[in-house]
Amino acid sequence: MSPRGVAIPDLRQQLFNAAERVLQEKGPAGLTGRAITKEAGCATGLLYNHFADLDTFLAALLLDRAGRAGTGMARLPGRAGTGDVVDNLMDGIEVLFAGNLLALAGLAMARPSIISHLGEALADGTLEMDAGERAFAAYLRAEQEHGRIVADADAEALALALVGAAHQLLLTRGPHATDLRDRMRRTATALIDRVTTQA
């Protein structure tokens, strides 16, 4: 409900979106219940009407975004053998960027108290903190089967390098940097050109 008693549609997603904006603008230290609800344009109490505390809310946010990103990344291996390898990888990177998953994973590391709320999801595999890395590795192994990536390329190491580079660029450049995607493409190209069968 809004301060005037009018129901707010999709309040959960409204709060999640607001929290992401606060995270981008103020970093993990700026994520307070008051800051989130102010950004969302609703009363502070509404967050706590739906979530026991801020850590519970942030854990729910991470699970929601991880689920969305996981669905998008799961499609990546199926694209092996089609299109351009770097283009396909950049589409996967875009899923990570759009879902704010890397920033949210960093938030979980900055606020260890969130991890306790993720215990069940981590234990039963609902949440995989390395889902992006695993999807890239699966895609690159599939490209090896199609003969577009050399057989002796280390798919897992390349996947780690891609995710690590994306994380580093987000941390140092920010999600709105005009050269973010250009620098990421250059990095992906430098990594992949060395292992494609055309190299």
Side-chain angles (χ1 to χ4, degrees):
M1 301 287 285
S2 74
R4 293 189 177 125
V6 179
I8 300 174
D10 300 321
L11 176 63
R12 182 183 175 95
Q13 288 301 320
Q14 185 174 329
L15 289 168
F16 285 167
N17 293 340
E20 287 185 316
R21 292 192 296 272
V22 173
L23 178 61
Q24 290 175 359
E25 294 169 10
K26 300 181 180 179
L31 271 176
T32 64
R34 185 176 299 277
I36 293 166
T37 51
K38 180 179 179 181
E39 179 67 27
C42 63
T44 304
L46 282 179
L47 189 150
Y48 299 106
N49 287 345
H50 291 78
F51 300 93
D53 52 37
L54 183 59
D55 285 342
T56 302
F57 167 78
L58 294 174
L61 167 61
L62 180 54
L63 286 171
D64 179 83
R65 296 319 195 230
R68 292 184 179 201
T71 299
M73 293 296 292
R75 293 192 287 265
L76 185 58
R79 299 179 63 174
T82 65
D84 178 77
V85 174
V86 172
D87 284 347
N88 290 340
L89 291 170
M90 286 302 300
D91 286 345
I93 292 291
E94 193 61 41
V95 170
L96 296 182
F97 284 167
N100 255 342
L101 193 56
L102 295 175
L104 289 170
L107 170 64
M109 298 302 104
R111 293 180 66 118
S113 53
I114 296 174
I115 300 298
S116 64
H117 296 274
L118 299 172
E120 184 177 338
L122 289 168
D124 66 14
T126 304
L127 175 63
E128 296 178 332
M129 297 297 279
D130 62 348
E133 185 182 332
R134 289 157 60 100
F136 283 127
Y139 168 73
L140 292 169
R141 286 194 298 270
E143 289 289 17
Q144 287 175 314
E145 294 176 5
H146 284 279
R148 301 209 299 174
I149 297 290
V150 297
D152 62 351
D154 188 334
E156 285 72 20
L158 289 168
L160 176 60
L162 286 165
V163 174
H167 201 166
Q168 172 70 7
L169 284 171
L170 279 178
L171 286 173
T172 59
R173 311 294 292 181
H176 304 300
T178 56
D179 63 345
L180 179 66
R181 286 160 181 78
D182 177 64
R183 292 193 65 183
M184 190 64 228
R185 177 174 286 276
R186 285 167 51 200
T187 301
T189 300
L191 288 167
I192 298 306
D193 274 358
R194 296 176 179 272
V195 297
T196 57
T197 53
Q198 293 81 20

